[in-house]
Amino acid sequence: MEEEKKTVRAVERALDILLVFTTGSEWSLTELAAKCGLHKSTVHRLLATLEEKGFVIRDDATDKYRLGLRVLELSAHFARSDDPTVVLIGEMEKLRDQMGETVSLYIRDRLERVRIQAVQSRQAIRRVAQVGIRLPLSVGASSKVLLAFEESNTREALLSDPAWPAGLRSPSYAKQLDEVVAAGYATSFEEREPGAAAVAAPIFSRSGKLVAALAVSGPSNRLTPDVMEERASAIIGAATRMGALLD
């Protein structure tokens, strides 16, 4: 049993190293050790195995590591028929052209939301959406959507989680989520950062499962509350069409 625990722990540490590459393309041994909170000797051993298997490559000139071709080989076999990042990109581009603003897809991962796809606005001044970024589930239009349209028992469990902000456990916040469900969309105006605004709607698959939040974001001087309200029906319609493409 002890040997099994050590083996599983080694796998966890190797995966932690690989996950660091979601935030940057090249890392030194020292940087990876710091990011993972591990000794350099431990990280060095794990990197040697990952390099042998082709998951990372060490650049001799910079002495930094980057992802190897084995990662691309794995992604090539990803099931793309129901992958929203692939299936919905065309509809996202249409919505971007219609709205003139950046369009993003978010999914929930515990108490965070993750941007899994984005189509950037062509405006000179725009919201630049980085794919893969994690944001708190406690703020933002997409967060409200991912909470409000979740199954009631899951929503209650999230709101009662010890890590959930105490100020957002009140009946008034739960009522706000109910209002989002009634309206079919959510908005945020300079909630997470000054000068930014967003409106979001849920994407449900044909089977009725909540798949993602569809968000249109931009500068708050363009996406004013009145403008977001005017555009909400078009965004809801786009989310409905996108859901019809997913099983």
Side-chain angles (χ1 to χ4, degrees):
M1 178 63 76
E2 186 63 31
E3 184 63 31
E4 182 180 347
K5 287 182 180 179
K6 289 181 180 179
T7 302
V8 172
R9 183 60 181 145
V11 173
E12 290 177 348
R13 288 172 169 174
L15 291 174
D16 285 342
I17 291 172
L18 291 176
L19 287 172
V20 173
F21 289 92
T22 63
T23 61
S25 59
E26 288 189 337
W27 299 93
S28 68
L29 171 61
T30 301
E31 291 169 334
L32 288 170
K35 284 281 186 178
C36 296
L38 298 171
H39 292 297
K40 289 172 63 174
S41 58
T42 300
V43 174
H44 185 267
R45 288 196 301 270
L46 293 169
L47 283 171
T49 300
L50 290 171
E51 186 176 11
E52 181 182 351
K53 295 294 184 179
F55 286 94
V56 298
I57 298 172
R58 187 174 68 86
D59 188 326
D60 292 332
T62 63
D63 203 26
K64 289 191 173 185
Y65 294 84
R66 63 179 187 272
L67 291 177
L69 295 177
R70 188 69 69 183
V71 176
L72 290 176
E73 291 178 30
L74 284 176
S75 65
H77 295 283
F78 191 82
R80 296 185 178 272
S81 61
D82 57 353
D83 177 9
T85 65
V86 176
V87 176
L88 303 182
I89 189 69
E91 289 294 333
M92 292 177 68
E93 290 173 343
K94 291 179 185 177
L95 184 61
R96 184 269 314 276
D97 294 341
Q98 180 184 359
M99 298 285 118
E101 303 292 355
T102 296
V103 178
S104 302
L105 286 182
Y106 291 92
I107 60 170
R108 182 180 68 82
D109 184 15
R110 297 181 291 277
L111 294 178
E112 295 179 312
R113 58 182 164 109
V114 184
R115 186 182 291 129
I116 61 171
Q117 185 60 283
V119 178
Q120 311 295 341
S121 167
R122 293 195 175 102
Q123 303 264 23
I125 299 175
R126 64 191 180 208
R127 291 280 296 148
V128 177
Q130 178 185 349
V131 175
I133 193 171
R134 289 175 172 268
L135 299 168
L137 194 65
S138 56
V139 64
S142 296
S143 293
K144 296 173 191 174
V145 164
L146 292 172
L147 264 177
F149 290 92
E150 186 57 87
E151 294 182 2
S152 58
N153 58 336
T154 302
R155 187 211 288 189
E156 291 173 7
L158 291 169
L159 296 180
S160 61
D161 190 294
W164 185 256
L168 297 180
R169 295 178 186 172
S170 63
S172 62
Y173 183 73
K175 181 181 178 182
Q176 183 181 353
L177 294 179
D178 291 338
E179 291 171 350
V180 168
V181 174
Y185 70 98
T187 63
S188 63
F189 190 81
E190 299 188 337
E191 289 183 11
R192 192 173 63 83
E193 59 181 290
V199 55
I203 297 177
F204 292 97
S205 67
R206 289 195 295 265
S207 63
K209 177 185 176 183
L210 177 63
V211 176
L214 171 68
V216 173
S217 61
S220 56
N221 64 340
R222 288 202 304 259
L223 282 182
T224 64
D226 288 342
V227 169
M228 289 192 287
E229 185 177 351
E230 291 171 3
R231 296 184 175 185
S233 61
I235 296 169
I236 292 171
T240 301
R241 291 192 299 274
M242 291 180 189
L245 299 174
L246 302 172
D247 293 331

